Amino acid sequence: MLRREARQRREYLHRRAQEDRIRASESKKQRLKQALEENRLLPTELRREALALQKSIEFDDQGAEGLVTQQDDEYRWAGVEDPKVMITTSRDPSSRLKMFAKEMKLVVPGAQRMNRGRHEVGALLRACKANGVTDLLVLHEHRGQPDGLIVSHLPFGPTAFFTLCNVVMRHEVPDIGTMSEANPHLIFHNFTSHLGQRVCSILKYLFPVPKEDSKRVITFANQDDYISFRCQASPRMQPLLGWGRHHVYKKTDHRNIELSEVGPRFEMKLYMIKLGTLEQAATADVEWCWHPYTNTARKRRFLSAD
């Protein structure tokens, strides 16, 4: 088992290194092709290898839509097989964190909750891989308040780290509706940048494919890089129906629908993505990290291109 995992990990790293080389070559080909089409001088750094690139362009497939990346390889079974999600907490969780873990188990269809106990991260990951788990969710807290969420995709990554804020449990929401266990329809709003699409994929593939007649809807709405999963709508985004909420709906007539919130409510903020699983966090490459101490940190928006 250990030898097989080590071999698969080496093969995965080799494919990722090959992808970087192919991407650099494709970028050079595109620049050369654009210079020839516009009838202008070739870039200085391409003049030595222009003839070799020109020959390789002739054999390229014109019908291809793009390269197959390691992101495609990570989620190659998405939509074919239902994900198998495991939810656990940090060690010695409070009663509030245990309750939040139970509610997150209801949010993700088919998820299983496991008591952390004294298990180490490495032992958790090995047990999850042996049982075919596709994603591991780890919840953290500070003084009884949930404040962190880690989503680790198995068997090779990536691992996304989120900060949680404004967490409201189901029992704290007045006139709460019943929780449906149907596979939900997903709405992702304002994830327009390349990083936003990456985060969208990490969250989207936690959920199985829903049926067309499912009455359950989950909305992830991005505003100022905060991903909202709650009921109250911002005044600037009031026209968006069901903004940042988890609800079920029913039709009252042929024109109108009635929404019923089922909770919980919280907001997430991404601060790191690592190209590896959780036990490799100390050595894995960092795909993206939020750097707050920069001059433009407050002005820049990473998850949206606006």
Side-chain angles (χ1 to χ4, degrees):
M1 176 67 77
L2 294 178
R3 289 182 179 179
R4 186 180 64 180
E5 290 183 1
R7 175 178 54 81
Q8 292 175 346
R9 179 66 181 173
R10 288 195 302 269
E11 292 174 352
Y12 172 72
L13 294 175
H14 178 66
R15 289 196 302 268
R16 205 170 67 196
Q18 278 187 325
E19 179 195 338
D20 294 337
R21 292 193 295 267
I22 295 174
R23 185 186 294 114
S25 177
E26 289 294 327
S27 176
K28 292 180 181 179
K29 291 179 183 179
Q30 292 297 328
R31 294 169 61 191
L32 176 62
K33 188 183 298 185
Q34 185 177 3
L36 293 176
E37 291 175 353
E38 297 177 358
N39 195 20
R40 55 183 176 83
L41 291 175
L42 298 178
T44 307
E45 61 273 16
L46 298 181
R47 292 177 183 177
R48 289 187 177 182
E49 48 186 343
L51 292 177
L53 290 174
Q54 179 64 24
K55 291 181 180 180
S56 62
I57 289 176
E58 297 175 357
F59 297 99
D60 286 349
D61 185 7
Q62 299 298 325
E65 297 181 355
L67 295 172
V68 177
T69 65
Q70 90 266 3
Q71 297 182 18
D72 301 322
D73 188 52
E74 290 164 354
Y75 297 103
R76 62 186 180 275
W77 298 114
V80 179
E81 299 178 355
D82 287 345
K84 191 174 180 181
V85 181
M86 183 67 68
I87 300 175
T88 187
T89 63
S90 57
R91 289 183 175 178
D92 194 19
S94 64
S95 59
R96 184 174 176 82
L97 186 63
K98 291 180 181 178
M99 187 177 301
F100 184 62
K102 292 180 182 178
E103 295 186 3
M104 288 298 297
K105 175 181 175 296
L106 297 177
V107 169
V108 182
Q112 298 293 324
R113 185 176 63 89
M114 179 173 59
N115 293 329
R116 177 64 181 273
R118 296 182 178 273
H119 299 296
E120 297 181 353
V121 174
L124 288 177
L125 268 296
R126 286 192 296 271
C128 290
K129 291 178 182 179
N131 290 276
V133 174
T134 60
D135 294 272
L136 175 66
L137 273 61
V138 183
L139 301 170
H140 292 270
E141 65 179 342
H142 178 69
R143 293 185 177 180
Q145 184 68 18
D147 70 339
L149 169 65
I150 301 175
V151 181
S152 182
H153 183 67
L154 303 177
F156 303 124
T159 300
F161 299 81
F162 296 92
T163 297
L164 298 182
C165 59
N166 301 327
V167 178
V168 179
M169 304 289 185
R170 274 174 47 83
H171 69 277
E172 298 172 346
V173 179
D175 301 326
I176 195 69
T178 58
M179 173 73 80
S180 172
E181 295 186 6
N183 296 347
H185 295 284
L186 302 178
I187 300 175
F188 289 90
H189 175 73
N190 201 22
F191 292 85
T192 54
S193 67
H194 179 73
L195 179 64
Q197 292 297 319
R198 178 66 158 157
V199 175
C200 180
S201 298
I202 292 173
L203 297 176
K204 174 172 62 177
Y205 294 130
L206 294 175
F207 299 87
V209 178
K211 296 183 179 180
E212 293 184 1
D213 58 349
S214 176
K215 303 297 183 183
R216 184 184 178 193
V217 181
I218 292 180
T219 305
F220 294 92
N222 169 45
Q223 185 181 27
D224 298 336
D225 285 348
Y226 282 90
I227 305 171
S228 296
F229 188 98
R230 61 175 185 165
C231 182
Q232 289 86 356
S234 169
R236 289 184 292 174
M237 300 187 65
Q238 197 72 29
L240 181 62
L241 182 64
W243 175 83
R245 72 166 59 184
H246 176 201
H247 59 264
V248 295
Y249 70 91
K250 64 179 180 180
K251 291 185 177 180
T252 55
D253 52 46
H254 66 284
R255 289 186 177 181
N256 301 317
I257 62 173
E258 179 180 334
L259 297 177
S260 176
E261 184 194 358
V262 294
R265 310 171 185 171
F266 57 89
E267 291 183 352
M268 302 187 297
K269 185 175 179 64
L270 176 73
Y271 69 88
M272 187 182 296
I273 298 179
K274 288 202 170 187
L275 292 174
T277 52
L278 188 56
E279 83 274 16
Q280 302 165 349
T283 58
D285 295 336
V286 177
E287 179 178 344
W288 181 85
C289 183
W290 182 61
H291 299 282
Y293 301 108
T294 56
N295 293 333
T296 60
R298 296 184 179 180
K299 302 176 184 178
R300 295 186 62 186
R301 299 294 177 262
F302 298 99
L303 299 183
S304 62
D306 300 334

